[in-house]
Amino acid sequence: MTLPLRAVALADAVRGGRSSARAVTEAALARIAAGNPALNALVAVHAEQALLDADAVDCRLAAGENVQLEDLPLAGVPVAVKDTIWVAGRRVTQGSRLFADFHAPADAMAVERLRRAGAVVVGMANSSEFACKGVTTNPLFGPTRHPMDQTLTPGGSSGGPAAAVAGGLVPLALGTDAGGSSRRPPAHVGVVGFKPSFGAIPYGPGFAEPFVGIAVMAPIAADVADTALMFEALAGPDPRDPDSAAIAPAEERPVSSLTIAYSPTFGMDAPVDDDVRDAVERAVKALARAGARIVRPEGRFPRWPAGVTETALMPLQHAGLAALCGEAFRRDPTLFDPDIAVQIERGLSLCGAEVAAAQLLGVEVGRALAAQFAGVDLIVGPTTPCVAWPLDRLGPETIGGQPVPPRAHAVFTPLFNHARVPALSLPCGTGRGGLPVGLQIVAPRGMDRRVLRFAAFAEETLAAGVPDSQP
């Protein structure tokens, strides 16, 4: 039989005895063997261990009777894990020569929960070094390529996980997101990437984060149902993570009762390519026709504190990298990706007052956004201002007809990390060359299930009738 490709259907087939975890894993390993060499999405495949883990899932099923969804929600589902997240006994490198021989001593709590839910970790997915770059390439493994066009990048830093899902290698991947790393790559390759509220999914044990206090574990999947299935298996507090917290239960109010603010630039002074703007605009109009209560606030919205840009907040990442890697950098700067070396050098040059100013600004970002959610339930707009660009560049040279710096592609995602709110990227059509465009859906902190519910509505609506390209 032909096995279903979606996690919901795969797990249902395994639980119902119509397939087995071993068969599903063998099929995934065959897809990886055929498709991964062109993409370089997975940097390690643990076939033997994955089959043993699959057999263990089958034994769990055989030992029980009438296994229900809540018992093994991810029964037999193959998962790729970003090469920055600990998986016990596996080589986990962060794409860095400093950790080329590191083997994780324990599972991250999210990986523990994946296993408990019946998922099978088949391998590690590529990341930029220390997950601190907007394209996915590093000194150990080289670049990950876009599944639709291998001359393009899927973005970063979770380009490996996103490309693995979009390329049909695995139905689910676990990424991380500290500035958009698991929303922008999904937007570029046409899958769903979900950054939960800070603390919704327990973090660690694992590597120290350069960006303290905003990084989250992030499910990546082909559709919203699979994303929600994975999120529910991972969410919930754990006493080992003092930042972990419960989130609001699912709401019963109808989607049509939600007030959704549409912001074409999320209140930022940033250019957007015409094809992206038009795709998002068409999607928003389709949602309004389907009954969504869309409002278009006057002026800039959200209204951010004065001086807020991604550049103003980047000292936090640079200082974090300098704290973690400064000594190794001083000994031998050639060990690092040259782009990461520049960030470390900048971090070493910062004074304490500059870092504190960026930290205070990040706090103000969260307060400002929380105040504006008093009048709306969700905010939507583009995930990125451009589609994917050539593999050998840090970013597009122009956006919206204007020359831009290399990080201009990342402008619409980082502030929501600093605000610690949930944000999801949903495919919403295509731009030039048929390349995917993402719609970003944002809610107040703790309202993760609201985001997922509206995303499911939007996905169904857009699938029913939004044209894929400009008329």
Side-chain angles (χ1 to χ4, degrees), residues 71-293:
D71 298 320
L72 286 171
L74 299 176
V77 176
V79 179
V81 175
K82 187 176 181 180
D83 186 36
T84 59
I85 301 169
W86 282 11
V87 180
R90 312 280 178 100
R91 182 189 183 212
V92 186
T93 73
Q94 302 186 91
S96 171
R97 295 187 181 104
L98 296 183
F99 295 90
D101 298 318
F102 178 84
H103 286 73
D107 281 336
M109 285 176 271
V111 174
E112 279 184 8
R113 292 183 177 189
L114 285 174
R115 295 188 194 278
R116 191 181 309 145
V120 176
V121 177
V122 295
M124 308 304 295
N126 206 14
S127 169
S128 58
E129 188 170 24
F130 305 122
C132 284
K133 188 173 170 179
V135 296
T136 299
T137 186
N138 61 65
L140 287 182
F141 303 115
T144 294
R145 300 173 183 86
H146 197 293
M148 292 177 60
D149 183 341
Q150 293 171 30
T151 68
L152 303 179
T153 178
S157 63
S158 297
V165 173
L169 308 185
V170 292
L172 297 179
L174 182 63
T176 62
D177 192 318
S181 287
S182 287
R183 283 165 286 155
R184 296 193 309 272
H188 290 313
V189 301
V191 297
V192 178
F194 182 38
K195 183 201 89 65
S197 297
F198 181 73
I201 298 173
Y203 210 89
F207 296 112
E209 282 285 344
F211 237 146
V212 178
I214 63 171
V216 300
M217 298 286 177
I220 297 171
D223 62 19
V224 176
D226 282 4
T227 305
L229 182 72
M230 186 178 186
F231 173 72
E232 294 297 349
L234 299 179
D238 188 297
R240 293 170 291 176
D241 176 8
D243 289 321
S244 64
I247 59 171
E251 298 174 307
E252 295 186 4
R253 58 190 292 200
V255 168
S256 60
S257 72
L258 300 175
T259 300
I260 299 123
Y262 168 46
S263 180
T265 62
F266 282 113
M268 305 296 290
D269 185 15
V272 179
D273 279 338
D274 289 346
D275 56 340
V276 171
R277 183 197 63 228
D278 292 347
V280 172
E281 181 75 25
R282 287 194 302 274
V284 170
K285 287 180 177 178
L287 296 175
R289 289 195 302 270
R293 185 191 297 170

Side-chain angles (χ1 to χ4, degrees), residues 242-456:
D243 289 321
S244 64
I247 59 171
E251 298 174 307
E252 295 186 4
R253 58 190 292 200
V255 168
S256 60
S257 72
L258 300 175
T259 300
I260 299 123
Y262 168 46
S263 180
T265 62
F266 282 113
M268 305 296 290
D269 185 15
V272 179
D273 279 338
D274 289 346
D275 56 340
V276 171
R277 183 197 63 228
D278 292 347
V280 172
E281 181 75 25
R282 287 194 302 274
V284 170
K285 287 180 177 178
L287 296 175
R289 289 195 302 270
R293 185 191 297 170
I294 305 291
V295 299
R296 299 176 182 242
E298 294 183 3
R300 291 189 179 182
F301 187 88
R303 293 173 294 279
W304 302 108
V308 166
T309 63
E310 190 198 21
T311 301
L313 294 164
M314 283 303 286
L316 297 175
Q317 178 170 308
H318 298 160
L321 281 169
L324 295 173
C325 305
E327 291 304 316
F329 176 79
R330 290 187 180 99
R331 288 194 301 269
D332 187 357
T334 66
L335 288 174
F336 298 88
D337 178 327
D339 299 312
I340 301 302
V342 168
Q343 295 188 45
I344 296 170
E345 197 162 26
R346 287 174 180 164
L348 291 170
S349 71
L350 292 168
C351 70
E354 290 173 299
V355 177
Q359 189 172 29
L360 291 169
L361 188 59
V363 172
E364 289 303 313
V365 163
R367 289 175 176 164
L369 187 62
Q372 289 165 90
F373 271 122
V376 299
D377 299 299
L378 295 165
I379 306 173
V380 300
T383 306
T384 66
C386 59
V387 296
W389 61 90
L391 190 68
D392 60 352
R393 302 177 193 171
L394 288 175
E397 295 171 353
T398 63
I399 296 177
Q402 303 179 30
V404 293
R407 287 283 296 178
H409 65 91
V411 65
F412 296 142
T413 55
L415 297 188
F416 299 122
N417 291 83
H418 289 274
R420 301 185 173 190
V421 299
L424 180 146
S425 182
L426 177 76
C428 71
T430 58
R432 60 184 179 273
L435 291 170
V437 172
L439 177 74
Q440 188 170 202
I441 304 167
V442 186
R445 187 176 182 185
M447 303 308 294
D448 300 59
R449 294 184 174 101
R450 177 186 295 171
V451 169
L452 289 164
R453 186 161 178 245
F454 181 76

